[in-house]
Amino acid sequence: MSEPRIAFVAADSEAAQRALTELEAAYPHVAPEEADVIVALGGDGLMLETLHRFMSNGRDGCGKPIFGMHRGSVGFLMNGYGPLGLVQRVARARPVVLTPLLMTAHTRDGRTVEARAVNEVSLLRETRQTAKIRIRVDGVVRLDELTCDGVLVATAAGSTAYNLSAHGPILPLGTQLLCLTPISAFRPRRWRGALLPRGAEVTFEVNEADKRPVSAVADYTEVRDVVRVEVRDDPDTRLTLLFDPEHDLEERVLKEQFLS
């Protein structure tokens, strides 16, 4: 079997750029558009950007597989860095296929914006005043008004990111669930969120949108001044991450639940 054509992408940090120079000198490589596998050098932020750049469109399978190596800050989605034996590592890597969320955001000035999120879709207040948000699940009002700094919907893959910082639960990767998690809820004060089936559609309606403006963020795509946001699973869009066999992503997710 022929060796996979590899392309390298790297963050702007000094460590990532040094690694890029080292690997491009050591291995044959092609442009990302011509590659079979993308090797991403950086942290989880770069991994998210690379996943978005090379995700499938529903017709071409699982998109380009991405093998990340940690040369950044947070490296939860990255393998360890090592310049030796890269081709062999890529060849024996194990794939993990993820599906993102699809956000459809409607703004006060009548625009409709779609964006996808690997980790989470979050709504956040824009001013000093708290947001007031109505929450529907599959068309049924489940919370008439949440007074808060914000609220988010997270995938299992994203449950260890912003969701965990907002005191949401960690979900194993194979779980067909979504986390619905409030961010600094003021009323109802005791509401801690909910677990929803992966196929559920969540609709957020912003109460008093003129007085209490809210933005919606899908990973790193921000839409300002929203009045309604729909979030659902997007099973036709798939992303493939490659991990060293000893880097068990499910095991890492499990370990996160026992850290102090």
Side-chain angles (χ1 to χ4, degrees):
M1 182 179 298
S2 60
E3 293 182 353
R5 295 172 297 172
I6 293 175
F8 297 105
V9 298
D12 293 331
S13 68
E14 183 179 347
Q17 290 297 313
R18 281 202 308 268
L20 177 65
T21 299
E22 182 177 30
L23 293 176
E24 286 188 336
Y27 297 98
H29 55 278
V30 297
E33 293 72 22
E34 302 171 9
D36 300 311
V37 177
I38 308 294
V39 174
L41 306 167
D44 284 354
L46 177 80
M47 175 59 81
L48 285 177
E49 291 179 17
T50 308
L51 286 169
H52 279 271
R53 181 179 173 186
F54 297 105
M55 69 173 56
S56 73
N57 60 11
R59 296 187 301 272
D60 58 357
C62 294
K64 290 183 184 291
I66 301 170
F67 184 88
M69 288 202 287
H70 188 205
R71 293 284 85 186
S73 303
V74 180
F76 193 82
L77 297 175
M78 314 299 278
N79 298 285
Y81 178 72
L84 301 178
L86 177 60
V87 174
Q88 291 75 18
R89 287 178 68 185
V90 169
R92 68 187 183 92
R94 295 176 179 173
V96 173
V97 178
L98 306 176
T99 60
L101 299 172
L102 175 63
M103 175 186 80
T104 305
H106 307 271
T107 67
R108 282 193 335 222
D109 61 6
R111 293 182 300 124
T112 298
V113 180
E114 284 192 351
R116 287 172 174 81
V118 179
N119 275 355
E120 76 279 317
V121 172
S122 54
L123 273 68
L124 304 165
R125 66 184 174 105
E126 295 179 8
T127 69
R128 60 182 177 80
Q129 291 188 299
T130 55
K132 292 188 175 183
I133 300 171
R134 179 179 297 113
I135 301 176
R136 298 178 186 268
V137 179
D138 292 330
V140 178
V141 175
R142 296 298 182 182
L143 202 55
D144 190 59
E145 187 167 271
L146 172 66
T147 305
C148 58
D149 280 355
V151 62
L152 63 83
V153 179
T155 65
S159 67
T160 58
Y162 193 6
N163 172 72
L164 181 58
S165 298
H167 306 291
I170 296 175
L171 300 179
L173 283 182
T175 304
Q176 295 301 304
L177 295 172
L178 300 174
C179 297
L180 175 60
T181 303
I183 303 168
S184 299
F186 182 67
R187 290 285 189 275
R189 196 180 296 274
R190 295 184 182 278
W191 189 64
R192 294 293 181 263
L195 294 177
L196 304 176
R198 180 82 194 202
E201 179 170 313
V202 183
T203 301
F204 301 109
E205 298 168 352
V206 180
N207 299 338
E208 302 179 34
D210 292 337
K211 181 181 179 183
R212 302 170 184 270
V214 169
S215 65
V217 183
D219 283 350
Y220 53 79
T221 300
E222 181 179 13
V223 183
R224 306 281 288 182
D225 300 332
V226 298
V227 294
R228 190 173 81 257
V229 176
E230 293 120 19
V231 183
R232 64 173 178 82
D233 186 32
D234 183 15
D236 292 331
T237 301
R238 292 170 290 174
L239 313 105
T240 304
L241 285 73
L242 298 176
F243 291 100
D244 291 321
E246 60 273 16
H247 180 128
D248 188 328
L249 188 60
E250 290 193 6
E251 175 64 17
R252 295 195 71 178
V253 171
L254 184 61
K255 283 182 179 179
E256 284 287 325
Q257 299 178 73
F258 296 92
L259 296 178
S260 59

